[in-house]
């Protein structure tokens, strides 16, 4: 669990003010499709933490890579197989390098990366901007160059960089040191900043060299957790764009403690928020309904829209909300969210969505896959703890 440091937070709030002033970044969406950019669209993949915690080994990673291909997840756009905490041995080697646990990762990370690459996928790994990881394995503070160098030599493509055991040292310097070391490694490695949103990372995550930054503490497989995180995304949309994404944490879809409708809502909202779509379930044994949610190509297309404009909450009633995302082609993606305990009829007009005036709009339901037309109003019956998702387009 994240440890929190009051003094650090105070220092960092002060630091954020000056850094933000010194480092204001343009996040306006580009007008051309970005090329040669890391994470031009939100990264998609899988991570071991939500389902497996520390119970990980190389077989799990092999089998997950296989399942990623067989299940159709790879075809749907998922790429990264990310190993979270607990992959390391308890100590560094004689040269001071990080080394994998000799039993659970007997053949080493390079062999795993080669295997994952042979499947057309990419490998991610984890460390902390502290003296130890959250589970007390060796981490990278003051070892940034050595660790980035070895990650690159192993063929790692993505680093999730946590915030535990940070010795209360300034956040900006800790994350900047690793970002620089990754760049100097010569290998393109996506840098996933996991600072739990403590110091408003939207203001500095891109500038420091991150492609994504966690905006909150950890998600858990509960409707209330997912909604709590959702509420903290309001207003962050201004920070997202090609090459830099708000990260409301990994997906819990398929982990078993939410209903089908709750997972549909979770996935719809994360897609609309341009969240990195990092599955956190067991891909080897997932049910058809879980696979159907995770591989819904029309919902994924909203997330991956190259314009990279994050969706925002545009209406909040007592139990229902409307979220909308401008798509690059002028259409709008819409999520009608029912947080209540009974089914609800939710509607929104094209005018409220800020669409150009048109005689008629087509409304594509991304879950039922039915297209209808309307002169202005879009209405759906939404189950309790559920969501409907549409693309609305002026005819
Ligand atoms: C922190 C992170 C989690 C996970 C764990 C691993 O809590 O926020 O996402 O990586 O550490 O220990």
């Amino acid at each position: 669990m994240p440890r929190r440091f009051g003094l650090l937070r105070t220092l960092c709030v002060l630091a954020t003010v000056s850094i933000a002033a010194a480092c204001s970044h343009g996040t306006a969406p580009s007008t051309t499709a970005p090329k040669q950019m890391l994470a031009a669209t939100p990264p998609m993949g899988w991570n071991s933490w939500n389902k497996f915690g520390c119970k990980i080994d190389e077989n799990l990673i092999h089998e997950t890579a296989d399942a990623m291909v067989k299940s159709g997840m790879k075809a749907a756009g998922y790429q990264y197989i990310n190993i979270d905490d607990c992959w390391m041995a308890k100590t560094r080697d004689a040269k001071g390098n990080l080394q994998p646990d000799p039993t659970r990762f007997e053949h080493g990370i390079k062999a795993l990366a080669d295997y994952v690459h042979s499947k057309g996928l990419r490998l991610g790994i984890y460390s902390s901007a502290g003296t130890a990881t959250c589970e007390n394995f060796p981490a990278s503070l003051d070892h940034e160059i050595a660790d980035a160098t070895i990650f690159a030599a192993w063929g790692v493509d993505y680093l999730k960089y946590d915030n535990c055991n940070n010795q209360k040292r300034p956040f900006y310097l800790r994350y900047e040191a690793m970002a620089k070391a990754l760049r100097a490694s010569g290998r393109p490695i996506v840098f996933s900043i996991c600072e739990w949103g403590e110091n408003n990372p939207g203001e500095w995550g891109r500038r420091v060299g991150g492609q994504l930054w966690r905006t909150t503490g950890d998600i858990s497989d509960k409707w209330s957790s997912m909604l709590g995180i959702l509420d903290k995304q309001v207003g962050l949309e201004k920070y997202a764009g090609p090459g830099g994404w708000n990260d409301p944490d990994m997906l819990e879809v398929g982990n078993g403690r939410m209903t089908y409708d709750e997972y549909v809502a979770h996935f719809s909202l994360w897609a609309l928020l341009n969240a990195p779509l990092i599955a956190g379930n067991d891909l080897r044994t997932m049910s058809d309904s879980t696979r159907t949610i995770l591989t819904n190509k029309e919902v994924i297309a909203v997330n991956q829209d190259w314009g990279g404009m994050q969706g925002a909450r545009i209406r909040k009633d007592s139990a229902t909300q409307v979220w909308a995302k401008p798509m690059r082609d002028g259409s709008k993606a819409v999520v009608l969210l029912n947080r209540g305990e009974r089914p609800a009829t939710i509607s929104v007009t094209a005018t409220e969505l800020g669409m150009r005036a048109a005689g008629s709009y087509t409304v594509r339901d991304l879950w039922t896959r039915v297209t209808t037309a309307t002169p202005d109003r879009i209405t759906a019956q939404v189950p309790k703890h559920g969501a409907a998702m549409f693309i609305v387009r002026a005819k």
Side-chain angles (χ1 to χ4, degrees):
M1 291 304 291
R3 296 14 166 203
R4 291 172 204 287
F5 300 100
L7 175 61
L8 173 72
R9 200 187 322 221
T10 312
L11 289 173
C12 291
V13 166
L14 294 173
T16 304
V17 173
S18 55
I19 289 160
C23 309
S24 90
H25 53 71
T27 51
S30 62
T31 50
T32 53
K35 294 193 184 88
Q36 310 294 331
M37 178 191 263
L38 274 179
T41 60
M44 295 176 64
W46 172 90
N47 174 291
S48 53
W49 183 253
N50 283 356
K51 172 72 184 175
F52 297 98
C54 282
K55 292 193 194 113
I56 55 171
D57 60 23
E58 60 189 24
N59 288 335
L60 171 68
I61 303 306
H62 274 126
E63 290 171 13
T64 299
D66 295 346
M68 184 81 104
V69 177
K70 273 199 212 120
S71 62
M73 296 270 292
K74 180 187 172 203
Y78 295 84
Q79 260 190 323
Y80 293 97
I81 304 279
N82 294 350
I83 312 171
D84 207 281
D85 204 348
C86 308
W87 63 268
M88 301 96 165
K90 280 284 178 192
T91 55
R92 289 177 176 266
D93 71 11
K95 291 187 197 145
N97 283 325
L98 284 177
Q99 52 185 346
D101 180 281
T103 313
R104 290 181 292 110
F105 291 90
E106 191 187 340
H107 298 94
I109 303 299
K110 169 91 174 66
L112 261 190
D114 289 347
Y115 185 76
V116 166
H117 293 157
S118 78
K119 298 266 156 187
L121 299 168
R122 297 182 180 169
L123 187 76
I125 212 160
Y126 163 98
S127 186
S128 183
T131 49
T133 71
C134 301
E135 293 290 334
N136 269 317
F137 289 85
S140 300
L141 188 63
D142 297 330
H143 296 270
E144 292 86 356
I145 292 173
D147 293 358
T149 305
I150 207 156
F151 295 152
W154 288 340
V156 164
D157 305 294
Y158 184 117
L159 174 66
K160 174 176 168 182
Y161 204 42
D162 216 333
N163 197 23
C164 279
N165 300 302
N166 61 37
Q167 309 304 307
K168 307 183 182 182
R169 281 168 47 183
F171 66 90
Y172 194 90
L173 298 177
R174 289 182 292 112
Y175 284 94
E176 184 186 46
M178 181 51 92
K180 277 189 177 161
L182 292 174
R183 277 198 300 274
S185 78
R187 186 174 174 86
I189 298 178
V190 170
F191 187 38
S192 160
I193 294 173
C194 180
E195 169 270 1
W196 316 317
E198 290 197 336
N199 303 285
N200 201 5
E203 289 288 345
W204 52 270
R206 182 191 293 265
R207 171 65 56 174
V208 86
Q211 281 75 45
L212 57 156
W213 45 85
R214 277 273 296 277
T215 56
T216 67
D218 292 6
I219 195 168
S220 64
D221 188 13
K222 280 191 234 139
W223 177 246
S224 57
S225 165
M226 189 277 287
L227 288 183
I229 288 181
L230 176 72
D231 291 341
K232 293 187 180 138
Q233 308 313 305
V234 174
L236 301 185
E237 53 276 0
K238 59 180 177 283
Y239 299 122
W245 309 103
N246 293 306
D247 175 6
D249 207 358
M250 304 171 291
L251 296 163
E252 291 283 7
V253 176
N255 279 336
R257 295 217 163 103
M258 288 193 241
T259 65
Y260 174 81
D261 289 336
E262 290 173 339
Y263 285 138
V264 164
H266 175 24
F267 194 69
S268 302
L269 288 159
W270 261 230
L272 186 114
L273 289 169
N274 290 352
L277 296 180
I278 308 291
N281 60 316
D282 189 341
L283 301 189
R284 302 166 306 175
T285 57
M286 68 180 155
S287 66
D288 279 350
S289 66
T290 296
R291 194 174 42 74
T292 304
I293 295 173
L294 290 172
T295 59
N296 184 322
K297 289 189 180 167
E298 294 183 51
V299 174
I300 290 171
V302 170
N303 178 263
Q304 297 289 303
D305 182 59
W306 65 264
M309 284 171 278
Q310 179 173 321
R313 191 175 69 194
I314 63 162
R315 203 175 76 214
K316 180 177 178 241
D317 300 323
S318 55
T320 63
Q321 298 183 348
V322 179
W323 291 72
K325 167 183 156 82
M327 299 287 285
R328 191 71 227 174
D329 66 1
S331 62
K332 298 270 179 170
V334 181
V335 172
L336 304 179
L337 172 65
N338 181 7
R339 304 165 68 122
E341 301 305 321
R342 55 191 66 215
T345 303
I346 310 179
S347 73
V348 65
T349 62
T351 317
E352 266 183 282
L353 291 172
M355 302 204 62
R356 73 172 167 82
S360 172
Y361 300 87
T362 58
V363 181
R364 171 73 172 171
D365 184 321
L366 304 189
W367 289 106
T368 65
R369 301 211 158 122
V370 172
T371 306
T372 52
T374 178
D376 193 39
R377 184 169 291 278
I378 299 107
T379 301
Q381 308 299 321
V382 185
K384 75 168 204 179
H385 292 200
M389 187 169 190
F390 302 98
I391 293 278
V392 184
R393 186 172 277 112
K395 266 190 176 172

